[in-house]
């Protein structure tokens, strides 16, 4: 029995998908999560678990190198697809599944060709077919396009592989004799753990997929020495968190200095400035329209704000290791975005809020982490749920739950919103100072001294939206 072929066909029938969200890709990510849930295709937490790398959002040349590194960490057989918008998601997933199925079908033919070429009966010279192995087959298949129905732009952007577009690198390889052998030697101990419950949910094991400056050929960062806060000389490891961690704000990269599992220093990289205009930040669109003079009802804004908080809660619950409630939060989020009436959603929201809000385990896992006092929030210009919660991670997720309950009850209100009075999901919206900018400014101070697993929870409990920064810059520039 060909057990390997059977496993390949099973993976193609129900592939594990790793989502990599680019800046501006929120709508594509939300649609991908919805479709994957309806198809019962599992979301992968690490590259080692994935069969398909799904890139969501408009192309970003500055992240080509990071995408290529992520792609090289996927074990064969693998497929890569790209959905630039929500309308491209279905076709991209179909393309990824078709490519995996093609690889599963090609393997028996390649093995038969190898046996025929090695089993000559005349003792003469043998002609071997150049099949190139599984990795070459799947890379060749990937190179025919990023999405179902659209072609990649070969613009020579600032990515890896000598400045090639990431799809060109996927098609032609990166010059290694056997990428899978090299990957397994470097990462066997790092990525096989999967997603386990507990502080941080196990995601910290793949924090370096954004790329690092200090590295050895195997891809592992190189340690140096430095004093810790007690004056002891210990190894220091410089690790980038992001930009493609699971359940992580799109486009965010934080460079941390670790001693053991403790963050000694943290620095947020300057958010990427895209060279082309893209759609405005998804979660604040009602407030942007209202600021432009368009009548927007309180109910529409409340619906979008509640969906945004459910999305943030889903990230936090996934990081902490409670996948069942993370799925429940995403299902509620999707129903709100699809226009489900408040009377139908309210009982489910109430049950969800009771389960999560009364969980002693969740409170214990998050208590005392990432404390933000009233004075600190005021000095940093923080508004919204983070300012009202005035506390730690557990206070912030409880504030989200309270706001969701309130907003679900207001979804039928027709009166127009006032941007100066009605908060956007992360606080007061101002073109020159979006609320996520203050949340990002808090991160270095909150992360310094925290354990790495706790750092993941802190970021998830603030959940800044970097698309707000890009939208604010574009609107300020448009005004001249």
């Amino acid at each position: 029995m060909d057990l390997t072929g059977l496993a390949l066909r099973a993976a193609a029938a129900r592939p594990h998908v790793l989502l990599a969200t680019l800046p501006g890709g929120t709508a594509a990510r939300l649609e991908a999560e919805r479709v994957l849930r309806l198809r019962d295709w599992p979301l992968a937490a690490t590259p080692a678990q994935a069969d398909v790398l799904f890139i969501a959002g408009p192309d970003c040349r500055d992240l080509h190198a990071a995408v290529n590194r992520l792609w090289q960490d996927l074990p064969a057989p693998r497929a890569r697809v790209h959905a630039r918008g929500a309308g491209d998601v279905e076709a991209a997933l179909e393309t990824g599944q078709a490519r995996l199925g093609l690889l599963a079908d090609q393997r028996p033919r390649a093995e038969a060709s190898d046996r025929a070429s090695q089993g000559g009966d005349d003792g003469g010279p043998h002609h071997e077919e150049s099949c190139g192995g599984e990795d070459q087959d799947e890379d060749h298949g990937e190179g025919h396009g990023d999405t179902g129905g659209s072609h990649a732009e070969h613009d020579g952007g600032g990515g890896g592989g000598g400045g090639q577009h990431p799809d060109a690198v996927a098609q032609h390889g990166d010059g290694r004799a056997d990428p899978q052998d090299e990957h397994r030697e470097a990462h066997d101990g790092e990525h096989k753990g999967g997603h386990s419950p507990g502080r941080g949910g196990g995601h910290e094991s793949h924090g370096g997929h954004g790329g690092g400056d200090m590295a050895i050929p195997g891809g592992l960062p190189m340690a140096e020495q430095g004093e810790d806060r007690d004056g002891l000389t210990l190894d220091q490891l410089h690790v980038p968190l992001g930009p493609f961690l699971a359940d992580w704000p799109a486009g965010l990269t934080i460079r941390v200095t670790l001693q053991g599992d403790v963050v000694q220093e943290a620095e947020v990289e300057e958010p990427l400035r895209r060279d082309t205009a893209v759609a405005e930040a998804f979660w604040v669109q009602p407030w942007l329209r209202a600021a432009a003079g368009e009548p927007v009802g309180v109910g529409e804004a409340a619906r979008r704000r509640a969906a945004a908080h459910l999305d943030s809660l889903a990230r936090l619950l996934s990081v902490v290791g409670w996948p069942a409630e993370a799925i429940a939060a995403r299902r509620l989020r999707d129903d709100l975005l699809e226009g489900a009436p408040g009377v139908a959603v309210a009982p489910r929201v109430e049950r969800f809020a009771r389960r999560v809000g009364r969980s002693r385990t969740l409170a214990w896992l998050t208590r005392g982490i990432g404390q933000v006092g009233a004075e600190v929030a005021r000095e940093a210009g923080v508004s919204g749920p983070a300012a009202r919660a005035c506390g730690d991670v557990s206070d912030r997720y409880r504030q989200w739950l309270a706001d969701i309950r309130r907003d679900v009850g207001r979804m039928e209100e027709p009166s127009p919103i006032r941007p100066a009075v009605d908060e956007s999901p992360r606080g007061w919206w101002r073109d020159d100072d979006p609320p996520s900018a203050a949340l990002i400014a808090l991160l270095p101070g909150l992360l310094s001294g925290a354990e790495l697993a706790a750092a993941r929870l802190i970021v998830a409990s603030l959940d800044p939206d970097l698309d707000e920064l890009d939208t604010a810059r574009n609107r300020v520039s448009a005004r001249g």
Side-chain angles (χ1 to χ4, degrees):
M1 180 183 294
D2 183 9
L3 294 180
T4 302
L6 183 63
L8 292 177
R9 287 188 290 274
R14 188 172 178 264
H16 289 63
V17 179
L18 180 65
L19 280 178
T21 307
L22 298 171
T26 298
R29 171 181 67 84
L30 295 174
E31 178 65 8
E33 290 177 351
R34 186 188 71 83
V35 174
L36 289 171
R37 176 173 56 81
L38 294 177
R39 293 188 177 201
D40 194 28
W41 289 9
L43 273 170
T46 67
Q49 300 171 350
D51 305 303
V52 175
L53 173 60
F54 186 100
I55 305 164
D59 188 44
C60 182
R61 291 185 297 174
D62 289 340
L63 289 177
H64 283 183
V67 170
N68 290 331
R69 283 189 291 269
L70 194 66
W71 167 245
Q72 290 299 332
D73 281 346
L74 264 70
R78 57 187 178 173
R80 180 168 76 179
V81 292
H82 186 174
R84 291 168 174 79
D88 302 323
V89 168
E90 288 273 10
L93 290 174
E94 293 288 349
T95 299
Q97 185 178 36
R99 288 175 184 166
L100 283 179
L102 181 63
L103 297 174
D105 291 340
Q106 285 176 345
R107 181 182 169 276
R109 292 198 295 270
E111 289 181 347
S113 298
D114 288 341
R115 287 194 297 269
S117 65
Q118 295 169 8
D121 56 0
D122 59 357
H126 302 294
H127 176 269
E128 295 189 14
E129 289 190 29
S130 178
C131 294
E134 291 177 357
D135 202 71
Q136 181 174 341
D137 283 340
E138 42 118 8
D139 280 346
H140 179 75
E142 164 57 28
H144 291 296
D146 255 356
T147 66
S150 64
H151 297 284
E153 304 99 303
H154 298 282
D155 51 12
Q164 299 179 68
H165 190 280
D167 289 331
V169 177
Q171 179 177 0
H172 299 297
D174 61 355
R176 299 192 305 188
D178 192 339
Q180 289 305 310
D181 289 345
E182 188 171 323
H183 165 65
R184 290 191 181 97
E185 290 173 8
H187 294 279
D188 259 345
E190 181 177 289
H191 292 305
K192 298 300 182 185
H195 183 180
S196 59
R199 287 186 178 242
H203 286 302
E204 63 272 15
S205 62
H206 61 286
H209 286 300
D213 295 330
M214 300 178 59
I216 57 178
L220 299 175
M222 187 178 297
E224 57 186 34
Q225 290 189 330
E227 288 189 357
D228 72 352
R229 289 176 294 178
D230 297 324
L232 301 175
T233 301
L234 301 174
D235 283 345
Q236 291 181 333
L237 196 62
H238 301 278
V239 179
L241 301 181
F244 293 128
L245 281 168
D247 302 298
W248 183 261
L252 178 65
T253 301
I254 305 175
R255 294 195 173 271
V256 299
T257 301
L258 296 176
Q259 287 184 316
D261 64 345
V262 177
V263 177
Q264 295 296 324
E265 296 179 4
E267 180 183 2
V268 179
E269 281 194 358
E270 181 72 18
L272 295 173
R273 293 176 179 268
R274 283 167 286 179
D275 52 4
T276 57
V278 297
E280 293 179 321
F282 179 84
W283 294 118
V284 295
Q285 285 178 6
W287 287 265
L288 298 177
R289 288 161 43 210
E294 181 180 340
V296 178
V298 168
E300 180 183 350
R303 181 181 294 273
R304 183 64 61 98
R305 188 167 49 227
H309 293 336
L310 284 165
D311 185 59
S312 297
L313 269 169
R315 292 174 186 263
L316 177 63
L317 293 169
S318 183
V319 169
V320 84
W322 201 355
E325 291 307 316
I327 292 172
R330 291 189 177 108
R331 184 178 289 113
L332 287 167
R333 173 202 68 191
D334 294 342
D335 289 346
L336 291 180
L337 292 176
E338 290 174 0
V343 66
V345 177
R348 295 167 50 210
V349 166
E350 189 62 32
R351 288 193 297 271
F352 169 79
R354 282 201 302 268
R355 285 194 305 270
V356 174
R358 295 178 181 179
S359 171
R360 295 181 180 180
T361 302
L362 180 60
W364 177 79
L365 288 170
T366 56
R367 186 180 298 123
I369 296 175
Q371 188 79 27
V372 178
E375 185 176 350
V376 171
R378 185 170 54 253
E379 291 177 353
V382 175
S383 58
R388 292 197 304 276
C390 190
D392 56 16
V393 171
S394 61
D395 293 317
R396 289 193 283 277
Y397 77 69
R398 288 191 175 110
Q399 185 64 56
W400 278 335
L401 291 171
D403 289 355
I404 292 167
R405 282 168 155 160
R406 180 201 65 198
D407 283 335
V408 168
R410 301 179 64 195
M411 290 194 305
E412 310 304 327
E413 291 187 23
S415 57
I417 68 168
R418 293 170 294 171
V421 175
D422 294 299
E423 288 182 339
S424 70
R426 289 162 177 85
W428 306 115
W429 175 262
R430 303 179 185 90
D431 285 350
D432 57 344
D433 188 20
S436 286
L439 299 178
I440 293 171
L442 282 178
L443 289 176
L446 293 178
L447 299 183
S448 296
E451 294 181 0
L452 183 57
R456 287 295 322 269
L457 292 173
I458 292 170
V459 174
S461 71
L462 294 174
D463 197 22
D465 183 3
L466 275 70
D467 289 347
E468 290 184 0
L469 279 63
D470 205 46
T471 295
R473 283 195 296 260
N474 291 339
R475 292 173 73 88
V476 170
S477 298
R479 290 201 305 262

